[in-house]
Amino acid sequence: SVELVESGGGSVQTGGSLRLSCQASGDTHLIKWMAWFRHVPGKEREGVAMARSGHTYTHYAGHAEGRFTISQDKAKNQLYLQMTNLQPSDTAMYYCAARTEQYLPFPLSYTQYANWGQGTQVTVSS
């Protein structure tokens, strides 16, 4: 099994920055893809960015493109999300997710990921 623990959330003002971290443990050698999602109560879980584990391939949702950067340290089994120019609309619970299957037809669909962390809250005030 794969365990994921997020950290780094907090409260910032509009235009601020935060760096989220996700520590993976357990059967990390099985991980093929990792991603960040966010969720606001009453809305569907939304993809933010994803990366192929151990590779440079990344993909971003439109709302994250140009503001957020996903990166990883494979040696430390860590995934990061650097967020800049944060807006109140970015307020959400942010989750780290992992997929162990190679084939990934919908990279930013939450249905594609079976392993999830507990989430870290990001609040952006105006």
Side-chain angles (χ1 to χ4, degrees):
S1 64
V2 173
E3 293 75 47
L4 304 170
V5 178
E6 303 93 335
S7 61
S11 296
V12 297
Q13 293 188 324
T14 298
S17 300
L18 280 174
R19 187 194 195 206
L20 306 184
S21 298
C22 173
Q23 179 69 59
S25 60
D27 294 323
T28 58
H29 63 285
L30 297 177
I31 296 174
K32 300 297 189 296
W33 307 90
M34 296 194 76
W36 287 99
F37 288 81
R38 65 187 187 183
H39 182 243
V40 174
K43 295 186 177 181
E44 192 168 275
R45 193 165 294 195
E46 180 181 45
V48 177
M50 56 80 68
R52 185 174 177 186
S53 182
H55 295 262
T56 59
Y57 175 81
T58 58
H59 177 65
Y60 294 87
H63 63 79
E65 190 80 56
R67 299 189 302 132
F68 296 178
T69 302
I70 188 171
S71 62
Q72 56 186 311
D73 186 333
K74 186 63 176 174
K76 295 181 179 179
N77 291 314
Q78 291 195 338
L79 183 75
Y80 307 102
L81 185 68
Q82 178 68 48
M83 304 186 293
T84 64
N85 192 23
L86 283 162
Q87 303 297 312
S89 56
D90 295 315
T91 295
M93 185 73 80
Y94 283 72
Y95 295 90
C96 174
R99 177 179 174 90
T100 57
E101 291 82 9
Q102 182 65 50
Y103 180 55
L104 181 59
F106 304 106
L108 287 177
S109 171
Y110 70 89
T111 63
Q112 304 293 295
Y113 298 84
N115 304 281
W116 293 86
Q118 84 290 346
T120 186
Q121 179 68 36
V122 172
T123 302
V124 185
S125 59
S126 56

